[in-house]
Amino acid sequence: MLLTILYIIGITAEAMTGALAAGRKHMDWFGVMLVASATAIGGGTVRDILLGHYPLGWVENPHYLMITCVAGVITTCMAGWVAKNHKFFVSMDALGLIVFSIIGCRVGMDMGLPAFICVVSGLVTGVFGGLLRDLICRRPPMVLHKELYASVSFLAGWMYWAMMHYGINELIATVSTLVVGFCFRMAAARFGWSLPVFRFDAEPENSH
Amino acid sequence: MLLTILYIIGITAEAMTGALAAGRKHMDWFGVMLVASATAIGGGTVRDILLGHYPLGWVENPHYLMITCVAGVITTCMAGWVAKNHKFFVSMDALGLIVFSIIGCRVGMDMGLPAFICVVSGLVTGVFGGLLRDLICRRPPMVLHKELYASVSFLAGWMYWAMMHYGINELIATVSTLVVGFCFRMAAARFGWSLPVFRFDAEPENSH
Amino acid sequence: MLLTILYIIGITAEAMTGALAAGRKHMDWFGVMLVASATAIGGGTVRDILLGHYPLGWVENPHYLMITCVAGVITTCMAGWVAKNHKFFVSMDALGLIVFSIIGCRVGMDMGLPAFICVVSGLVTGVFGGLLRDLICRRPPMVLHKELYASVSFLAGWMYWAMMHYGINELIATVSTLVVGFCFRMAAARFGWSLPVFRFDAEPENSH
């Protein structure tokens, strides 16, 4: 119940940031709705396809897809306001990241998958929406270059998995993962913590 | 039966436009066949994967895949003719769009999915082939920028769904959706009707 | 057994070339692991999704995914050595291509699919990993432009399929396909054999 409310907040915020990315590429309303939806529910979609977990969430419950389309179009009317409240949206995005990671991890656990795959399932849910957004908008995928993002999802997934595995109450596991993950992500954004970068500038590869 | 014939015409025309796009990027014959096939049967493939609707059409019936590969290679020998008859191919593409939308909508209805998802299923079938083509060819996805295309598919899907839902004869529903959708698409191309475009030119986004 | 050992060698080599591609784009460690894994096990993943062949190999056996992640990160420490031994990696990649093609073909045969689809299944397994790598790294997909690569996979798939279909001993079929395919691929790389290229330089397409 708590997760459902947070999930709806999360996909709405993600859809709005997706719509802004579409606006930077001067897309029409269909493009806005597509990028908004891919950003918001693309991660869960990729996860379900990888795990063979059918039917997809938005196929069973079309309201989620309607919410992301509407949120995308509304963003076109209030882009200035969204851009001005940039920090608020960074927080909402961080919240969404942790909520998506927890939900993805749970899907893996409900399917009885190995621990590592459960955490990867949370990671895919949290991260692949933004990856799809950047792919459709033809810009460098931020999550592969920027401060800690995937790592936060990975650690939140392990934390949630471990607490559930060792029998801790579900509400406590969820709330504490949310708090720790959110603070970790906000600190990473604030202080610019990042993973080491791999630079390899030899001559361009000439064969496979 | 009528739909099958129109479907084969549709995938042939789409494969040929896909092959031209590959030629603009100086791809080899394998690239031509890949882009031709992705353009022609990629939309249906994405739909079936999203809906968990297995086996895929071209896995069960490999002739469809052979047709798109052959149509792609033949196009390399008659590119000038195809380019000269550009308007003919715009018509064939419009026909394909409506046929794909109807077929996609039907797949959703046969699976007993909600109305909105049936129409989205038609939309994905009609539109995602071109999206995949543009992604592989690394060019801006046309369907997100240009005159009405996805919208035509969306409206044709609703029209077909409504007629079938209210018990109208299947042949009548199919033919009238084809006629209305085709004319709507050709008019949009002729008069440049398009959706509103969302332009958002603030400073580049700096975080998620 | 032989195939499993060769498969692990193949995914390790592919992961290392994937990591170099990520390094050329200055990705962080998460990006390196993602591109390494997509290059190495992306082809098999796309095949299984297209065929509805669940669970995916790396979901059932997470060790494969761990190997590709670790191989990717290790590559960041020894990029100079990998680049210096470029020819060795071209050989390993050629080996991987044939091993992946044989495995993909077998998956299709075990599912009882038509011959053409079995060979396409091997082709997707062998080729789509590199395609995903180039898509994520935003560079022109090599396999669509360069010397014979997909064609080698295609011919190796037919050879394996035919030998198995006509009852030849499995070990003989596997080893002879490996030898012939490997030599063919190395000769194509050495002598620059390639498919005809389709160049189409008319004015840019203006409609669908």
Side-chain angles (χ1 to χ4, degrees):
Chain A
M1 181 60 190
L2 172 69
L3 272 186
T4 304
I5 295 172
L6 291 173
Y7 177 71
I8 291 174
I9 294 175
I11 59 173
T12 307
E14 298 287 344
M16 294 176 88
T17 66
L20 288 193
R24 287 198 180 85
K25 294 289 177 176
H26 301 178
M27 290 186 187
D28 66 18
W29 279 15
F30 172 68
V32 168
M33 288 189 278
L34 178 74
V35 177
S37 301
T39 310
I41 55 182
T45 298
V46 172
R47 175 204 65 217
D48 285 345
I49 291 173
L50 290 175
L51 300 183
H53 181 250
Y54 289 103
L56 303 193
W58 57 266
V59 169
E60 202 171 27
N61 192 340
H63 295 108
Y64 294 147
L65 182 57
M66 291 176 188
I67 289 173
T68 58
C69 288
V70 170
V73 170
I74 287 179
T75 306
T76 64
C77 311
M78 43 187 266
W81 180 85
V82 174
K84 218 176 288 169
N85 292 278
H86 180 66
K87 279 186 186 170
F88 173 70
F89 279 87
V90 171
S91 314
M92 289 298 100
D93 175 83
L95 188 71
L97 176 68
I98 311 299
V99 172
F100 291 179
S101 303
I102 291 176
I103 291 175
C105 193
R106 262 177 79 134
V107 167
M109 294 178 82
D110 290 347
M111 293 179 73
L113 298 174
F116 181 61
I117 297 298
C118 292
V119 177
V120 169
S121 164
L123 180 70
V124 168
T125 314
V127 164
F128 272 59
L131 213 60
L132 283 177
R133 174 197 61 205
D134 294 341
L135 213 64
I136 302 176
C137 291
R138 306 170 72 239
R139 60 185 200 180
M142 271 192 240
V143 67
L144 310 180
H145 295 275
K146 291 254 314 167
E147 77 263 3
L148 295 183
Y149 195 84
S151 322
V152 173
S153 167
F154 192 74
L155 290 178
W158 273 118
M159 182 173 163
Y160 183 78
W161 183 87
M163 284 199 285
M164 293 297 281
H165 187 70
Y166 292 110
I168 291 178
N169 174 281
E170 192 181 323
L171 185 66
I172 296 178
T174 304
V175 172
S176 56
T177 304
L178 273 172
V179 171
V180 172
F182 180 81
C183 294
F184 186 20
R185 169 62 193 145
M186 292 310 284
R190 173 74 185 76
F191 300 111
W193 295 339
S194 61
L195 284 180
V197 165
F198 174 36
R199 287 168 196 278
F200 178 65
D201 295 316
E203 79 297 342
E205 195 173 5
N206 280 319
S207 49
H208 284 279
Chain B
M1 180 62 190
L2 171 69
L3 270 185
T4 304
I5 295 173
L6 291 174
Y7 177 71
I8 291 174
I9 294 175
I11 60 174
T12 307
E14 298 288 344
M16 295 176 87
T17 66
L20 288 192
R24 287 197 181 85
K25 293 290 177 176
H26 301 178
M27 291 187 187
D28 67 17
W29 280 15
F30 172 69
V32 167
M33 289 189 278
L34 178 73
V35 177
S37 302
T39 310
I41 55 183
T45 298
V46 172
R47 174 204 67 216
D48 285 345
I49 291 173
L50 291 174
L51 300 183
H53 181 250
Y54 289 103
L56 303 193
W58 56 267
V59 169
E60 202 171 28
N61 192 340
H63 295 109
Y64 295 148
L65 181 57
M66 291 174 188
I67 289 173
T68 57
C69 288
V70 170
V73 171
I74 288 179
T75 305
T76 65
C77 310
M78 41 188 267
W81 181 85
V82 174
K84 219 176 288 169
N85 291 277
H86 180 66
K87 280 186 186 171
F88 173 70
F89 278 86
V90 171
S91 313
M92 288 299 101
D93 176 82
L95 188 70
L97 176 68
I98 311 298
V99 173
F100 290 179
S101 303
I102 290 176
I103 292 176
C105 193
R106 262 177 80 137
V107 168
M109 294 178 82
D110 290 347
M111 293 178 74
L113 298 174
F116 181 60
I117 297 298
C118 293
V119 177
V120 169
S121 165
L123 180 69
V124 167
T125 313
V127 164
F128 271 59
L131 212 61
L132 283 177
R133 175 197 61 205
D134 294 340
L135 213 64
I136 302 176
C137 290
R138 306 169 72 238
R139 59 185 200 181
M142 271 193 241
V143 66
L144 310 180
H145 294 276
K146 291 253 315 167
E147 77 262 6
L148 295 184
Y149 194 83
S151 321
V152 173
S153 167
F154 192 73
L155 290 178
W158 273 119
M159 184 175 163
Y160 182 78
W161 183 88
M163 285 199 285
M164 293 298 281
H165 188 69
Y166 292 110
I168 290 177
N169 174 282
E170 192 180 324
L171 185 65
I172 296 178
T174 304
V175 171
S176 55
T177 304
L178 274 172
V179 171
V180 172
F182 180 81
C183 294
F184 185 21
R185 168 63 192 144
M186 293 309 285
R190 173 73 185 78
F191 300 111
W193 295 340
S194 62
L195 285 180
V197 165
F198 175 36
R199 286 167 196 279
F200 178 66
D201 295 316
E203 78 299 341
E205 195 173 5
N206 280 319
S207 49
H208 284 277
Chain C
M1 180 61 189
L2 172 68
L3 271 187
T4 304
I5 295 173
L6 291 174
Y7 177 71
I8 291 174
I9 295 175
I11 60 173
T12 307
E14 299 287 344
M16 294 176 87
T17 66
L20 289 193
R24 288 198 180 84
K25 293 289 178 177
H26 301 177
M27 290 186 186
D28 67 18
W29 280 15
F30 171 69
V32 168
M33 289 189 278
L34 178 74
V35 176
S37 301
T39 310
I41 55 183
T45 298
V46 172
R47 174 203 67 216
D48 285 345
I49 291 173
L50 290 176
L51 300 183
H53 181 251
Y54 288 103
L56 303 193
W58 57 266
V59 170
E60 202 171 27
N61 191 340
H63 295 110
Y64 294 148
L65 181 57
M66 291 175 188
I67 289 174
T68 57
C69 288
V70 170
V73 171
I74 287 179
T75 306
T76 64
C77 311
M78 41 187 267
W81 181 86
V82 174
K84 219 177 287 169
N85 291 278
H86 180 65
K87 279 186 186 172
F88 173 70
F89 279 87
V90 171
S91 314
M92 288 299 100
D93 175 82
L95 188 71
L97 176 68
I98 311 299
V99 173
F100 290 179
S101 303
I102 291 175
I103 291 176
C105 193
R106 262 177 79 137
V107 168
M109 294 178 81
D110 289 347
M111 293 178 73
L113 298 174
F116 181 60
I117 298 298
C118 292
V119 177
V120 168
S121 164
L123 179 70
V124 168
T125 313
V127 164
F128 271 58
L131 212 61
L132 283 178
R133 174 197 61 204
D134 295 341
L135 212 64
I136 302 176
C137 291
R138 305 172 72 239
R139 59 185 200 180
M142 271 191 240
V143 67
L144 310 180
H145 293 277
K146 291 252 315 167
E147 77 262 6
L148 295 184
Y149 195 84
S151 322
V152 173
S153 167
F154 192 73
L155 290 178
W158 274 118
M159 183 175 164
Y160 183 79
W161 183 88
M163 284 199 284
M164 293 297 280
H165 188 69
Y166 292 110
I168 290 177
N169 174 282
E170 192 180 322
L171 186 66
I172 296 178
T174 304
V175 172
S176 56
T177 303
L178 274 172
V179 171
V180 172
F182 181 80
C183 294
F184 186 20
R185 168 64 193 143
M186 293 310 285
R190 173 74 184 76
F191 301 111
W193 295 340
S194 62
L195 283 180
V197 165
F198 174 36
R199 286 168 195 279
F200 178 66
D201 295 316
E203 78 297 343
E205 195 173 6
N206 280 318
S207 50
H208 283 279

